[in-house]
Amino acid sequence: MKKEPRQRIEELRKQISEHDYRYYILAQPSISDYEYDQLFNELERLEKESPQLITNDSPTQRTGSDLANEFNTIVHKIPMLSLSNTYSEEELFDFDRRVREMLPNTEKVDYVCELKIDGVSVSLNYSNGILNYAATRGDGTTGEEVTNNVKTIKSVPLKVRANSSKKNSILNLEVRGEIYMETEAFNKMNAERELEGEKTFANPRNSTAGTIKLLDSKIVAKRPLQIFTYYLFSETKELSLHIENLKLLSELGFRVNPNYKLCHNIEEVLDFCNYWEEKRDTLPYEIDGVVIKVNSLKQQKILGNIAKSPRWAVAFKFKAKQAVTKLNKITWQVGRTGALTPVAELESVFLAGSTISRATLHNIDEIKRKDIREGDTVIIEKGGDVIPKVVSVDINKRDRKSEPTGIPQKCPVCGSKLFQPEEEVAIYCENNFCPAQVKGRISHFASRGAMDIEGLGDALINLFVEMKLIKDYSDIYTLKNKRDELINIERLGEKSVDNLLNSIERSKARPFDRVLFALGIRFVGAGAAKKIADHFLSIDSLVNASQQGIEEIHEIGPSISQSIKRFFAEDNNRRLLDRLKRAGLQFQFERKQKDSNKLEGLSFVLTGTLSTMSREEAKEKIIANGGTVVSSVSKNTNFILAGESAGSKLDKAVKLGIKIITEDQFYKMI
Ligand code: IVH
């Protein structure tokens, strides 16, 4: 007799998740890929016929939908802490001493050592045994919901394995772990990307971090993500030892790294650290240290946390990995400001998970200090996710005929003259229209923290500039008039052109501070741009402000203010600005509805701790009533709003005879 679809569907789901478990967690498959596909296809077919029977935990729901992800904010049930680092034997012993000092004398302390996987941490929340949501760490208190993307990782159970009655008590739980990519899978993926002309990733960790935040889960499903879990929390079950939690995680169907060890004293911990520091290259994934955790959860509770890290755990970080290779050539890269950066072109060498063929040399002083020359045998180093650098030269291997490295005589890109401003180490290309500078400025403009134009990467920018489709960043907004021309470019299809044009349109909604940052004014980073935009609220007020007016903003000094004045004084930049305005970019903050004009024309300086509002709130109130807030006291200041323990600003105000008011008096003014 033919089974009810509901029954067969359930049976198939059970079988498939059992096979997933055997394949992805135990690495012991018991059927062939073909047989597995048969089961999967049958389930897909039945679900298609009866879509009302599809549930969230069905294995078919891993692949991702066509809808773009929305990353909602998740408040973590328990904060996701980070770890403090130790770098030496002494620091590790200090940690052990601090732990023991905080615990009653009689207590014995055991530690569990785990490998510190170099990936991205994630929190998995299960209710009733079913994956409820997955969230990134974020700032530790709140993270972003990335459930759809995490679901595509086959080693993340959609449902916990709770077969025996003992485990049924733990169906509501929070599990934490590290998402990562194996080195080989990463390299393969990168090689494929290179072939396709796509941007390659610097290392497995960056690639994992980028992947987990992709809008399209279908792409995530194709990336080789994996997980190791290392933390379990449940309100419904009494847990007492971390090592038991790790075992319980395995029983519940989670993937746990097998290389953990229970250590009875700090010497054993140190042995574990030394062992893995030496053996790290034998692992198929990257680790950057060892995590040491107090085994007893009761002791963990006594020890508690300081700021954002627990006192009961610490990371032992490995030293940066080094490699020896030959420096073939020193080339000079020209950035968007015209600054020339020396780059070491190396004989390719494998280091810490990727093949390195270039390293930064920072500047000419650095080259001279280390006496780095073309043809030298050099020691390079890579720490964390930083770009590799040349640490030193093996002088013994130097060719006697080699010569000290000098600075180039002209711009390597456009051949223009170079200049070195006084008090600066950097050398600059003086030609504002040098193709390298032009491309650099456009690339900065389109980048993530700036206008965030998805799809407009360096390769495309280079192509567009070379084809003379764009000559500065304002031209980006005219590309929509050249759609036909774009579609005819060999590498671009109709779909990718339309995607690009759409993301260009979308960028017009980027807020004023991002636009200000995107302009690429020297020294105006994202943080400074935000402060300046918050203060002036519109580009016109900024353009008209005096240098002194700009410096009134807290933490904005003369180098920034001068650079801003210089930028807007240039005709070419003013023209750019006009064109961007016409394109419809945001050159002012949406003014909040004004409460009144009672403070019109009055300037305030805030000082001391206010008792009824924060400084930010006070500032908002002043602006909402038409006033302005400046950071330093001058004879033009009208009022000082002073709170508790006001300092030097108050003294200066008294000297200048400026009116000092309290919060009560302030409230009466508005
Ligand atoms: S425990 C309070 N265990 O390292 C406990 N973290 O620097 C915090 N990590 O954010 C986490 N492997 O992303 C723990 N076996 C492991 C880990 C691990 C990698 C990462 C994790 C964490 C960071 C702390």
Side-chain angles (χ1 to χ4, degrees):
M1 203 186 76
K2 215 168 169 259
K3 276 190 190 139
E4 278 271 306
R6 182 190 299 274
Q7 227 182 333
R8 179 64 184 152
I9 282 178
E10 263 165 33
E11 198 175 277
L12 283 166
R13 283 183 191 156
K14 231 188 215 138
Q15 286 180 14
I16 292 170
S17 50
E18 188 61 27
H19 289 306
D20 279 345
Y21 174 69
R22 296 189 64 85
Y23 188 92
Y24 293 104
I25 310 285
L26 303 179
Q28 288 168 352
S30 56
I31 58 169
S32 69
D33 288 359
Y34 175 76
E35 286 165 305
Y36 179 89
D37 289 345
Q38 298 281 58
L39 296 174
F40 202 89
N41 293 343
E42 187 185 348
L43 177 62
E44 260 185 339
R45 183 173 51 77
L46 290 176
E47 286 186 347
K48 209 168 177 183
E49 282 163 17
S50 319
Q52 76 282 4
L53 297 179
I54 299 179
T55 55
N56 257 342
D57 61 326
S58 172
T60 57
Q61 301 305 298
R62 285 192 186 272
T63 28
S65 80
D66 287 327
L67 297 174
N69 280 321
E70 263 182 72
F71 299 122
N72 299 320
T73 305
I74 292 273
V75 178
H76 294 302
K77 286 229 161 64
I78 333 151
M80 284 183 85
L81 303 172
S82 56
L83 293 173
S84 40
N85 293 326
T86 56
Y87 295 91
S88 64
E89 189 174 322
E90 288 99 76
E91 285 180 1
L92 203 55
F93 280 70
D94 284 346
F95 162 74
D96 175 53
R97 200 173 17 78
R98 279 196 306 273
V99 165
R100 283 183 294 109
E101 275 171 8
M102 283 194 69
L103 294 172
N105 262 341
T106 49
E107 300 235 350
K108 194 174 166 309
V109 185
D110 284 339
Y111 295 107
V112 178
C113 290
E114 294 166 23
L115 302 184
K116 188 167 186 299
I117 314 296
D118 198 7
V120 176
S121 56
V122 71
S123 185
L124 308 171
N125 182 281
Y126 290 80
S127 50
N128 238 341
I130 290 173
L131 178 65
N132 193 15
Y133 61 80
T136 61
R137 177 168 181 275
D139 63 3
T141 313
T142 57
E144 282 178 309
E145 198 214 307
V146 287
T147 317
N148 290 339
N149 287 351
V150 169
K151 264 178 139 178
T152 66
I153 306 171
K154 301 280 189 14
S155 43
V156 170
L158 299 178
K159 202 172 173 182
V160 300
R161 290 169 64 83
N163 299 329
S164 71
S165 58
K166 183 179 112 210
K167 290 163 214 149
N168 277 339
S169 59
I170 182 158
L171 290 177
N172 296 323
L173 63 159
E174 191 134 325
V175 172
R176 298 211 169 135
E178 200 79 355
I179 299 184
Y180 69 98
M181 281 182 195
E182 287 198 353
T183 318
E184 208 179 298
F186 164 78
N187 286 334
K188 186 164 163 257
M189 181 192 78
N190 244 2
E192 282 165 9
R193 288 179 72 86
E194 193 158 9
L195 272 182
E196 298 285 316
E198 287 174 274
K199 216 173 132 191
T200 53
F201 294 104
N203 56 43
R205 195 176 67 86
N206 281 0
S207 167
T208 304
T211 303
I212 220 63
K213 299 276 284 282
L214 283 175
L215 294 174
D216 187 346
S217 299
K218 287 227 156 78
I219 302 179
V220 180
K222 293 192 187 118
R223 302 258 174 98
L225 296 180
Q226 301 250 42
I227 193 167
F228 277 129
T229 58
Y230 47 67
Y231 177 84
L232 165 70
F233 175 80
S234 171
E235 280 168 358
T236 57
K237 190 173 161 71
E238 188 76 27
L239 302 163
S240 61
L241 295 176
H242 179 66
I243 195 127
E244 281 170 7
N245 284 359
L246 292 179
K247 288 178 189 146
L248 189 56
L249 278 170
S250 293
E251 285 171 26
L252 292 167
F254 291 93
R255 197 156 172 267
V256 176
N257 189 292
N259 304 308
Y260 61 82
K261 187 172 182 238
L262 178 65
C263 295
H264 302 291
N265 54 50
I266 201 71
E267 287 78 17
E268 279 180 39
V269 169
L270 187 65
D271 285 347
F272 183 93
C273 295
N274 290 336
Y275 176 85
W276 281 108
E277 174 143 24
E278 213 198 297
K279 288 277 185 294
R280 62 195 288 202
D281 283 336
T282 62
L283 294 165
Y285 44 83
E286 297 228 2
I287 58 172
D288 58 346
V290 167
V291 181
I292 299 120
K293 301 173 183 173
V294 168
N295 189 25
S296 151
L297 303 190
K298 201 180 95 219
Q299 290 179 347
Q300 286 189 3
K301 211 164 175 187
I302 299 175
L303 291 161
N305 308 321
I306 20 165
K308 286 198 163 180
S309 41
R311 286 204 195 81
W312 48 264
V314 80
F316 177 85
K317 297 276 271 189
F318 295 153
K319 279 167 218 76
K321 280 204 233 169
Q322 296 191 332
V324 178
T325 188
K326 190 169 166 226
L327 193 164
N328 289 331
K329 202 171 164 31
I330 294 175
T331 55
W332 296 80
Q333 250 176 16
V334 184
R336 68 182 164 96
T337 61
L340 267 61
T341 313
V343 177
E345 309 285 347
L346 307 165
E347 197 85 53
S348 291
V349 60
F350 192 75
L351 173 64
S354 52
T355 305
I356 314 267
S357 51
R358 309 180 92 199
T360 172
L361 291 168
H362 302 290
N363 53 49
I364 188 71
D365 277 12
E366 175 95 352
I367 294 179
K368 285 189 180 145
R369 197 166 54 80
K370 294 179 180 163
D371 189 16
I372 301 168
R373 305 179 184 188
E374 289 185 344
D376 274 348
T377 299
V378 292
I379 293 145
I380 61 164
E381 184 176 287
K382 206 169 103 177
D385 57 354
V386 295
I387 311 163
K389 59 177 184 198
V390 173
V391 190
S392 58
V393 173
D394 186 345
I395 300 284
N396 297 329
K397 298 220 173 100
R398 175 170 283 168
D399 185 339
R400 267 190 298 136
K401 279 182 272 158
S402 84
E403 284 185 25
T405 305
I407 53 173
Q409 295 307 303
K410 54 185 187 2
C411 171
V413 177
C414 70
S416 301
K417 271 209 253 149
L418 300 174
F419 70 99
Q420 185 166 23
E422 259 177 69
E423 292 168 32
E424 273 200 54
V425 192
I427 327 157
Y428 292 85
C429 158
E430 66 170 17
N431 172 16
N432 222 349
F433 298 99
C434 167
Q437 290 193 45
V438 170
K439 288 173 188 170
R441 284 195 293 265
I442 300 174
S443 166
H444 167 78
F445 183 86
S447 69
R448 215 181 225 191
M451 299 309 283
D452 194 15
I453 305 178
E454 213 181 306
L456 191 56
D458 286 351
L460 219 48
I461 292 173
N462 287 350
L463 191 71
F464 288 173
V465 172
E466 268 147 36
M467 291 178 72
K468 302 208 162 50
L469 283 165
I470 52 179
K471 53 183 187 323
D472 61 48
Y473 48 60
S474 73
D475 288 336
I476 293 173
Y477 296 97
T478 63
L479 282 173
K480 63 177 176 202
N481 307 328
K482 300 176 182 164
R483 185 173 174 273
D484 292 342
E485 216 172 319
L486 295 178
I487 290 172
N488 281 330
I489 297 176
E490 206 179 308
R491 273 179 39 205
L492 297 173
E494 198 163 332
K495 188 153 176 249
S496 57
V497 168
D498 286 338
N499 284 343
L500 174 66
L501 294 177
N502 282 336
S503 55
I504 292 175
E505 277 312 292
R506 271 200 309 276
S507 76
K508 291 182 181 172
R510 293 284 280 168
F512 171 41
D513 62 307
R514 299 298 176 145
V515 178
L516 183 58
F517 171 57
L519 296 179
I521 305 171
R522 264 196 100 190
F523 306 127
V524 181
K530 177 88 176 69
K531 283 187 190 130
I532 296 165
D534 279 345
H535 183 87
F536 286 106
L537 301 170
S538 78
I539 196 86
D540 293 336
S541 340
L542 175 62
V543 173
N544 295 326
S546 65
Q547 200 180 312
Q548 197 194 354
I550 300 173
E551 282 168 38
E552 275 176 2
I553 306 171
H554 184 56
E555 285 177 349
I556 301 293
S559 55
I560 295 182
S561 63
Q562 270 166 21
S563 170
I564 292 175
K565 291 308 300 175
R566 214 176 299 132
F567 183 89
F568 291 122
E570 263 184 48
D571 285 346
N572 193 44
N573 291 336
R574 282 187 177 258
R575 260 196 303 276
L576 271 176
L577 208 61
D578 282 340
R579 298 189 64 199
L580 293 176
K581 275 184 181 170
R582 262 181 276 135
L585 271 59
Q586 305 296 314
F587 278 108
Q588 60 184 40
F589 273 136
E590 285 288 308
R591 239 176 230 281
K592 290 205 190 100
Q593 198 69 38
K594 255 204 193 162
D595 293 345
S596 81
N597 286 327
K598 288 182 190 158
L599 306 181
E600 184 88 58
L602 299 179
S603 70
F604 290 76
V605 167
L606 306 175
T607 181
T609 316
L610 303 172
S611 59
T612 59
M613 56 190 154
S614 70
R615 279 208 196 185
E616 221 27 63
E617 284 164 344
K619 188 173 168 185
E620 272 173 26
K621 283 194 173 64
I622 293 168
I623 293 169
N625 288 288
T628 50
V629 180
V630 290
S631 70
S632 60
V633 183
S634 74
K635 59 181 192 315
N636 299 326
T637 312
N638 298 102
F639 294 99
I640 306 283
L641 174 53
E644 241 355 72
S645 28
S648 62
K649 286 184 189 169
L650 201 59
D651 302 340
K652 191 166 174 196
V654 173
K655 260 189 219 142
L656 292 172
I658 292 158
K659 195 162 165 51
I660 297 159
I661 54 168
T662 62
E663 281 169 78
D664 278 348
Q665 288 168 313
F666 171 71
Y667 283 119
K668 284 187 189 130
M669 293 171 74
I670 58 177

